[in-house]
Amino acid sequence: MPIPIETFFLDPDAEGTLQGRIQQMIAEGILSGRFQKNEKLPSTRRLATHLGISRITVTLAYTELLANEYLTSKGRSGYYVSPEAPEPPQFKPLPKSEEKVDWTRAIAKHYSETSTFEKPEDWARYKFPFIYGQTDPSLFDHANWRACAMKALGAKDFPSLTADYFDRDDPELIEFIARQTLPRRGIIAGPDEILVTLGAQNALWLSTQVLLNQRRKAVIENPCYPALRDILYQSRCHISAVDVDDYGLPPHRIPNDSSVIFTTPSHQCPTTATMPLQRRKALLSKAQALDALIIEDDYEFEMSFLTPPSPALKSLDEDGRVIYVGSFSKSLFPGLRLGYLVGSAAFIREAR
């Protein structure tokens, strides 16, 4: 694979001859790992034109690097990074500039102190890997995914792939969500009531930004999705954590001054408890009495193997107070980072 010519540049403040600076530039690229073994370098003519110097200077630098086994020549094919490139003592790394910014004063709000989880890269090697959100390659439909990718990347669908929809979402994706995904949960929604997001976590963040402030109270389940707690802390709203039981969030324990209720009724995160139908209706009645809104995080409704999934809260809602959060992380894969919000057109307009 050729090395992009844009990665080559000369430091105008560096000392030494042009030939020596070119040698040092390439050697440091190899020693730092930016230039990999057997990668092709630009031709002497192209590099000279790119750097605005004489071609003979580049040729001499390449010749010297060839002699020191940094590079190898393959006849008319050109110059390549040698697989036997040594580490010469004469080329010292350029010193890094010292930062002058006091980041403890420059950063207005700190987010790195929130709880984060690290997933080991070799999690699949563990005997009992308690890791969520991973894809089983043996269950993934590689053939259909490849066919869809080839179709999407073809010339016929190029305008759809590359078009700038400005503040709109892809109309075909919206249509798929409205006609194929939401009806499975008993939800009927129009295009102006659906917003595509960068995963369910982004949908929760948008909901928090639109609905909560320092004067309002959010109710969360205890325990809950860890990222949700971090999102709410950043919004500086009041937070009330309500202990869940075997059937999820108990409506009678919700404080009377609550503004927004976050819940995972299909599979409570992380206990996996499923909220029965009667409790779902009781939760809707409680929210109606408080004039509160409900954020229904239906992140994995597809994962129902023993019995059919219970109706979504959104499908039982007659007041428009339930905002539905969905995701393709479980039905496809989490790296896709694709989710959606479903709610009143007035809410979706602000979230967009």
Side-chain angles (χ1 to χ4, degrees), residues 180-187 265-267 280 296-305 307-312 324-328 330-331 340:
Q180 303 293 334
T181 303
L182 295 180
R184 296 169 59 194
R185 306 295 290 129
I187 301 172
S266 293
H267 275 150
R280 295 180 188 225
E296 178 184 11
D297 185 359
D298 204 20
Y299 65 100
E300 59 173 11
F301 79 87
E302 300 98 333
M303 306 296 109
S304 182
F305 303 114
T307 59
S310 301
Y324 182 86
V325 175
S327 170
F328 291 104
K330 303 299 184 294
S331 56
Y340 50 92

Side-chain angles (χ1 to χ4, degrees), residues 53-284:
I53 60 178
S54 170
R55 182 184 178 187
I56 188 62
T57 303
V58 178
T59 302
L60 291 173
Y62 275 16
T63 302
E64 190 65 26
L65 290 166
L66 190 66
N68 291 327
E69 295 187 345
Y70 276 94
L71 303 181
T72 182
S73 177
K74 297 183 179 180
R76 294 180 177 271
S77 180
Y79 293 91
Y80 294 78
V81 177
S82 172
E84 306 297 332
E87 185 173 353
Q90 62 268 29
F91 291 142
K92 297 181 180 179
L94 293 175
K96 292 184 177 180
S97 59
E98 183 179 354
E99 292 190 1
K100 304 295 183 182
V101 179
D102 183 359
W103 288 106
T104 58
R105 295 180 56 191
I107 297 176
K109 294 177 67 177
H110 293 268
Y111 298 100
S112 61
E113 297 174 357
T114 56
S115 59
T116 56
F117 294 93
E118 294 185 4
K119 297 179 182 179
E121 293 183 3
D122 60 342
W123 65 269
R125 297 178 179 271
Y126 286 64
K127 185 176 182 180
F128 302 107
F130 292 100
I131 301 292
Y132 65 91
Q134 303 298 325
T135 304
D136 186 344
S138 65
L139 300 177
F140 189 76
D141 192 345
H142 294 274
N144 272 326
W145 179 258
R146 187 183 303 109
C148 290
M150 291 179 65
K151 182 178 183 298
L153 296 174
K156 181 180 178 181
D157 292 303
F158 185 76
S160 299
L161 177 68
T162 59
D164 180 7
Y165 295 106
F166 190 48
D167 61 345
R168 298 185 300 120
D169 292 315
D170 187 322
E172 291 191 25
L173 179 56
I174 292 294
E175 181 183 7
F176 177 85
I177 294 172
R179 295 184 57 188
Q180 303 293 334
T181 303
L182 295 180
R184 296 169 59 194
R185 306 295 290 129
I187 301 172
I188 305 300
D192 61 340
E193 297 174 313
I194 303 173
L195 174 66
V196 176
T197 64
L198 300 175
Q201 188 169 331
N202 179 236
L204 294 171
W205 182 86
L206 285 171
S207 302
T208 299
Q209 296 300 308
V210 174
L211 301 176
L212 290 167
N213 55 34
Q214 296 179 0
R215 298 184 300 275
R216 296 184 177 181
K217 175 177 285 188
V219 173
I220 60 174
E221 300 165 332
N222 184 40
C224 72
Y225 176 45
L228 173 61
R229 189 185 296 269
D230 296 340
I231 290 170
L232 292 174
Y233 277 143
Q234 295 166 13
S235 73
R236 299 182 180 179
C237 68
H238 300 281
I239 302 174
S240 178
V242 176
D243 294 341
V244 300
D245 57 21
D246 293 342
Y247 303 105
L249 179 68
H252 67 277
R253 295 181 184 172
I254 296 175
N256 291 331
D257 58 345
S258 303
S259 302
V260 182
I261 303 166
F262 291 83
T263 183
T264 51
S266 293
H267 275 150
Q268 199 280 327
C269 180
T271 67
T272 73
T274 298
M275 186 181 292
L277 180 59
Q278 286 305 115
R279 178 170 287 193
R280 295 180 188 225
K281 293 180 178 180
L283 179 58
L284 286 170

